[in-house]
Amino acid sequence: AKSAGKGSYVVFESWLTDSFSERMRIENRLYAAMENNEFHLVYQPQVDPAGKRVTGLEALVRWNSPELGQVSPVRFIKVAEDTHFIIPLGAWILEEACRYLKSLHDKGFPELTMSVNISMPQLLQTDFYELVLETLASSGLSPKDLELELTETVLLKSYDHVLPKLAALRGIQVKIALDDFGTGYSSLSYLTNLPITTLKIDKSFIDLLSTDDPQGSLVEEIIRIGRRMNLTVVAEGVETRDQLDRLTEQGCDRIQGYYFSRPLPPEELEVFLAGWSSTPGA
Ligand code: C2E
Ligand code: CA
Ligand code: CA
Ligand code: CA
């Protein structure tokens, strides 16, 4: 009985971790998940370290599947990208995030911006620019309220296709963030060729700040160059007071991470925002 138990555990575990069958299980359920409203968005505050103001939010998608449980976006976004399901899903995310930001503006938080993650297949759609325009128009937001987050992979792999679209979006004042900066191949000098407004320093670099690792000065260098290029520099994954203090000292523009807040569902976010805006000097 014991070995049978052990055997079934092994079978169970390999069923869970086998990436092919996991992919299939995810892929098979994505479309129905959208129809059944199983996706929702959570929002993580971005905080200005000096004034301790909440300046913006990053929208992050969540999937609560009755069959699969909470599926990490790291897993299902990859599948959605490969199958191009990210196109309808991404359009819904953009629309939902814009609609929610408009409601926050109307509730007394008119300064907040919304950052939305955009995957490569979305950006490669011929009518991506039009989709953004229409979404802004239908939600009643101004283009400057919206920031699109792109990774280096997206920018580098299809540079020639992507560049004119980004330039058009910049032309109407939509903000463009380079996400996960430092994890890819792009050098700092390469940044000058991109129509970006924001640099998001990846968490892996922020983690180094909490140790005596000399690599910590790398973050300082990134911040300095980002600022010299007139980019807004955002630190991601800030978890400790010590990291916050160092980043503030080094002139980082915005802080995002568990130290201030995890990504929150709308009701909790609004409690958080109300608390911040009513604290004098905070
Ligand atoms: P990302 O865009 O780099 O998002 C940041 C991730 O770091 C989020 O994970 C966030 O919850 C997490 N995070 C934020 N602060 C901290 C912190 O202080 N400590 C730690 N340990 N983690 C922190 P999440 O929500 O699981 O998303 C993972 C990735 O999935 C995202 O990385 C992004 O690449 C992708 N993703 C999530 N939502 C969307 C979406 O709506 N569209 C697209 N295309 N991709 C998305
Ligand atoms: Ca992001
Ligand atoms: Ca990131
Ligand atoms: Ca990431």
Side-chain angles (χ1 to χ4, degrees), residues 112-163:
L112 291 176
T113 59
M114 182 64 76
S115 302
V116 180
N117 293 285
I118 302 294
S119 296
M120 169 124 64
Q122 294 178 270
L123 201 58
L124 292 180
Q125 291 173 85
T126 47
D127 58 351
F128 181 72
Y129 173 79
E130 288 76 12
L131 178 79
V132 173
L133 272 189
E134 280 164 26
T135 308
L136 287 168
S138 69
S139 60
L141 285 183
S142 144
K144 65 170 178 34
D145 300 326
L146 178 66
E147 179 166 83
L148 304 177
E149 297 199 358
L150 310 169
T151 61
E152 295 173 52
T153 331
V154 171
L155 291 172
L156 289 172
K157 269 203 185 147
S158 39
Y159 189 74
D160 294 339
H161 289 283
V162 155
L163 205 63

Side-chain angles (χ1 to χ4, degrees), residues 191-203:
L191 292 176
T192 50
N193 300 321
L194 294 172
I196 58 171
T197 49
T198 308
L199 203 58
K200 297 192 79 173
I201 308 175
D202 192 69
K203 180 178 186 303

Side-chain angles (χ1 to χ4, degrees), residues 9 20 46 94 134 148 206:
Y9 174 73
F20 179 74
Q46 296 180 340
L94 183 66
E134 280 164 26
L148 304 177
I206 305 307

Side-chain angles (χ1 to χ4, degrees), residues 152-221:
E152 295 173 52
T153 331
V154 171
L155 291 172
L156 289 172
K157 269 203 185 147
S158 39
Y159 189 74
D160 294 339
H161 289 283
V162 155
L163 205 63
K165 296 189 195 200
L166 294 185
L169 289 163
R170 277 304 300 138
I172 60 165
Q173 306 290 300
V174 169
K175 296 181 174 72
I176 314 278
L178 182 52
D179 202 356
D180 300 346
F181 183 75
T183 60
Y185 305 99
S186 65
S187 63
L188 285 164
S189 63
Y190 169 84
L191 292 176
T192 50
N193 300 321
L194 294 172
I196 58 171
T197 49
T198 308
L199 203 58
K200 297 192 79 173
I201 308 175
D202 192 69
K203 180 178 186 303
S204 55
F205 294 96
I206 305 307
D207 289 342
L208 300 173
L209 283 174
S210 41
T211 67
D212 287 331
D213 196 307
Q215 290 244 42
S217 65
L218 194 56
V219 170
E220 197 170 356
E221 194 59 24

Side-chain angles (χ1 to χ4, degrees), residues 87-101:
I87 290 179
L89 178 62
W92 176 81
I93 292 168
L94 183 66
E95 195 187 325
E96 180 71 15
C98 287
R99 199 166 36 206
Y100 182 56
L101 183 65

